Amino acid sequence: MDQNVLEMQQITKEFPGVLALNEISLMVRRAEIHAICGENGAGKSTLIKILSGVYPYGSYKGQIFIDGQERVFHTIKDAERSGIATIYQELALFKKLSIAENIFMGSAPAKLGIIDWDRMHFETGKWLSEVGLNINPEEKVGNLGVGQQQLVEIAKALSKNAKILILDEPTSALAEHEVQVLMEIIRNLKQKGVTCIYISHKLSEILYIGDRISVMRDGELISTENRENTDVKKLIYQMVGRTLDNLFPKEKFKRGKPALEVKDLNFQDPENPEALVLKNVSFKAFEGEILGIAGLMGSGRTELATSIFGINARYRTGEIVIHGKKVEIGNPIEAIKNGLVYLSEDRKRYGLVLLMSVKENITLASLSKVSGLSINQNAEIDYTNKYIRYLDIRTPSAETKTMNLSGGNQQKVVLGKWLMTEPQILILDEVTRGIDVGAKYEIYKIMNKLVESGVVVIMISSEMPEILGMCDRILVMHEGRINGEFLREEATQEKIMHSATIVSEEYEYAR
């Protein structure tokens, strides 16, 4: 066991009616970056929750060894005392507290029972320097960008003397330059002897950062290989059990009339009305096309979608025209009535009620179709089963709580909810964020079916290959404006990135 800092042997975990992990044995070497990938529902999160003490000893079968010694974790604190720290996709930081208060939450240095602020700020500065952050320890976490918050989480883990750092989808909300910073930090930690377990759906990241890569499928460990012995095609085959010859199954449809036209749209920052988030934005979306919207985080992509959808509409000016008719959209209800819907980038917070069933979520935006004086249970089930079949939602039943589904199937439930409203224009904001390659492929095929049926799809995405692979036309945003427009056949990563970062002369007049 000398070269292995961690061994998990014969780990088996069952939930009612589900075998989540089936005799998993995972070996992680000292000071390596060990990547783990697999489809949603493969068992990655369950395995990590066992290792980090979320699922206590006794709720699973098997053994865990750290540095050759068997360890038993009844709580998260037990795992932390053994040198294991986990950073989850949803960051566990208190936004209104300072960086120092977050890092030393529950472990603040004290003298005679009184917090030693000077020492706490000094120690915080030391840990921040470890992750390359030169920020005042007294700065409120809520004032930091997502990338900086991610690094604060890592600094917090290091302050607890973590020797095994688990990163679960760490780049899902990061801009490209922030991803590069994070990768460099992880490699520096490796050089200092910290072992990293890196979980991601982004196979390009897995192959870039991982020394060894483990693939999980259906609760089993399929393989563990050195990075140089595998590639994207091999990983996909091991993850989904079949080959996906074309990751982006884009179909071509004849472009029709304009379905949506936005004219001179401006949008004020609700928290600072003097600042414009969107400035004179005008564009058209046509029948028969998937229109892509690219740009860096903060460029105004999401604000464009939400303002069109009627969120904070009082801060918006400009015209919205749907199928040649000017419409007034003052709130999301009016947007839905006009056939325009928006699938949020944060499905758990804004797209679903996780404690409600699949049935209740799918019918939530269309209750008038299944109710009179009361809910018509038969109609509700009929509609739900229709979208379960159409979207191939993998759920034990329509009554299953949505929180128990995988990320990809949760996303399909949100799609089902909006499709039940019979939209003419569907705005998808980061629709494939946090879901595996197989589920992405299925959602891409659904997008094709929707366009074929007459629905106009507008796709916002931070993933450049996805934008290039699935969109007929691409608008690029920069500082609240449309700064470039490319047809599918002329678009390249270089052109899009140039428009996302540098003001284009062609669009300079708009400034």
Side-chain angles (χ1 to χ4, degrees), residues 2 5 20 46 157 227 260 290 318 352 375 430 458 469 472:
D2 288 343
V5 67
T46 303
R227 175 179 54 207
L260 171 69
I290 296 175
L352 296 167
I375 298 291
E430 302 288 8
I458 299 174
D472 298 284

Side-chain angles (χ1 to χ4, degrees), residues 53-73:
V54 174
Y55 294 143
Y57 180 78
S59 67
Y60 63 89
K61 297 176 183 177
Q63 297 172 291
I64 297 173
F65 294 87
I66 307 290
D67 289 327
Q69 295 185 347
E70 185 174 2
R71 302 298 173 94
V72 172
F73 305 145

Side-chain angles (χ1 to χ4, degrees), residues 69-224:
Q69 295 185 347
E70 185 174 2
R71 302 298 173 94
V72 172
F73 305 145
H74 294 286
T75 65
I76 294 172
K77 283 290 185 185
D78 289 343
E80 289 178 349
R81 281 191 283 266
S82 293
I84 297 170
T86 305
I87 299 173
Y88 294 100
Q89 185 174 350
E90 288 85 14
L91 301 179
L93 295 172
F94 296 93
K95 302 294 178 66
K96 294 187 178 181
L97 298 182
S98 71
I99 296 172
E101 289 168 323
N102 271 277
I103 286 179
F104 284 95
M105 179 63 64
S107 59
K111 288 181 181 178
L112 302 175
I114 300 173
I115 292 177
D116 186 342
W117 291 100
D118 289 340
R119 182 183 166 198
M120 189 162 83
H121 290 149
F122 174 79
E123 293 288 332
T124 299
K126 183 178 72 174
W127 293 117
L128 290 178
S129 67
E130 286 285 309
V131 297
L133 278 179
N134 183 23
I135 300 177
N136 187 340
E138 297 181 61
E139 184 70 62
K140 294 283 191 293
V141 165
N143 296 333
L144 306 181
V146 177
Q148 292 175 319
Q149 290 183 27
Q150 188 78 261
L151 296 181
V152 169
E153 278 274 34
I154 294 175
K156 180 179 177 181
L158 296 178
S159 74
K160 297 176 181 178
N161 297 315
K163 56 187 174 185
I164 299 174
L165 181 63
I166 303 168
L167 296 144
D168 187 4
E169 297 288 350
T171 66
S172 62
L174 300 188
E176 190 169 337
H177 71 279
E178 293 173 321
V179 173
Q180 291 302 317
V181 170
L182 180 62
M183 295 294 181
E184 189 63 30
I185 295 295
I186 292 172
R187 285 184 165 162
N188 288 339
L189 292 176
K190 173 189 171 181
Q191 294 300 318
K192 294 175 182 178
V194 177
T195 300
C196 291
I197 298 176
Y198 190 95
I199 301 168
S200 179
H201 289 117
K202 299 179 180 179
L203 299 185
S204 58
E205 288 181 7
I206 289 282
L207 289 165
Y208 177 78
I209 196 68
D211 296 313
R212 291 194 302 149
I213 301 169
S214 290
V215 179
M216 295 181 66
R217 185 174 77 235
D218 296 334
E220 298 187 351
L221 184 64
I222 302 301
S223 70
T224 297

Side-chain angles (χ1 to χ4, degrees), residues 255 282-286 289 291-292 294 472-477 481-488 490-492 495-496 499-500 504 506-507 509:
R255 191 166 96 166
S282 297
F283 70 92
K284 295 179 182 179
F286 294 85
E289 76 170 353
L291 176 65
D472 298 284
R473 189 164 52 96
I474 301 162
L475 305 178
V476 186
M477 295 196 67
R481 303 178 189 273
I482 293 176
N483 197 43
E485 179 177 342
F486 304 97
L487 295 174
R488 175 184 176 84
E490 65 182 1
T492 65
K495 288 180 180 179
I496 291 174
S499 291
S504 168
E506 180 183 352
Y507 289 87
Y509 72 89

